[in-house]
Amino acid sequence: TKHDLVPDGATRNVLVEDASLFAKLAIMKSIEEIDWAVDRVREGLGHVVPLSMLRFLRWDALETRVCGSPKIDLNLLKSVCQYEGLDKNDQTARFFWEVMESMSDADQAQVIRFAWARSRLPRTESSFSDKFKLRAMA
């Protein structure tokens, strides 16, 4: 898209001594063009995190609040686990948790991604919309 950066810019040649000014004006125009998208992101983020808190959060703290921790909290996962066709003390369930505990963080995230189509857990028990289920296979 063409935009005049200065009045009658389409008819004006950029001189070497004006190059720096035009570069700054072009950058400012590009930023203006995405303002609406940034506003939508800010609006959506405001539904997850109070906007007044943003200036106090580091990027990694914001990421954790919005996306959850990249480290799988197995105690949290166990607390929301529902067992179907087996008890949490059954050997199969115990083996499952032993294997999960022996995995790297990345491998645990892959198990969660496979089971839930997400690689991070909600932050609290009350944030889980669905429980994690271990189901016995007949």
Side-chain angles (χ1 to χ4, degrees):
T1 308
K2 290 184 177 183
H3 298 282
D4 284 353
L5 299 176
V6 295
D8 298 321
T11 62
R12 184 173 164 187
N13 291 327
V14 178
L15 304 174
V16 172
E17 56 267 16
D18 295 331
S20 178
L21 171 64
F22 275 87
K24 288 177 186 174
L25 292 171
I27 290 169
M28 289 173 52
K29 187 63 176 174
S30 295
I31 291 170
E32 285 175 18
E33 289 178 345
I34 63 165
D35 279 349
W36 67 271
V38 172
D39 289 342
R40 298 299 81 72
V41 169
R42 185 181 298 113
E43 181 182 325
L45 191 55
H47 291 286
V48 180
V49 179
L51 294 177
S52 59
M53 287 182 60
L54 288 182
R55 68 181 69 142
F56 303 112
L57 293 175
R58 288 173 28 111
W59 70 268
D60 50 346
L62 177 62
E63 176 187 32
T64 300
R65 279 188 148 287
V66 173
C67 303
S69 173
K71 179 161 176 41
I72 302 298
D73 182 345
L74 290 180
N75 290 325
L76 176 62
L77 189 59
K78 287 178 186 179
S79 74
V80 298
C81 184
Q82 291 180 339
Y83 299 87
E84 295 181 1
L86 72 159
D87 181 81
K88 70 178 183 177
N89 295 315
D90 284 350
Q91 186 177 24
T92 303
R94 288 195 325 265
F95 281 160
F96 173 81
W97 293 115
E98 284 177 28
V99 169
M100 285 293 286
E101 289 168 0
S102 72
M103 291 179 169
S104 68
D105 292 346
D107 288 340
Q108 289 175 357
Q110 289 299 319
V111 169
I112 298 304
R113 182 183 299 276
F114 175 77
W116 250 340
R118 61 186 289 173
S119 58
R120 296 181 182 206
L121 300 179
R123 291 178 44 231
T124 62
E125 279 186 48
S126 61
S127 299
F128 280 77
S129 57
D130 294 313
K131 301 295 183 186
F132 185 76
K133 295 180 184 176
L134 283 182
R135 191 174 288 146
M137 300 300 290

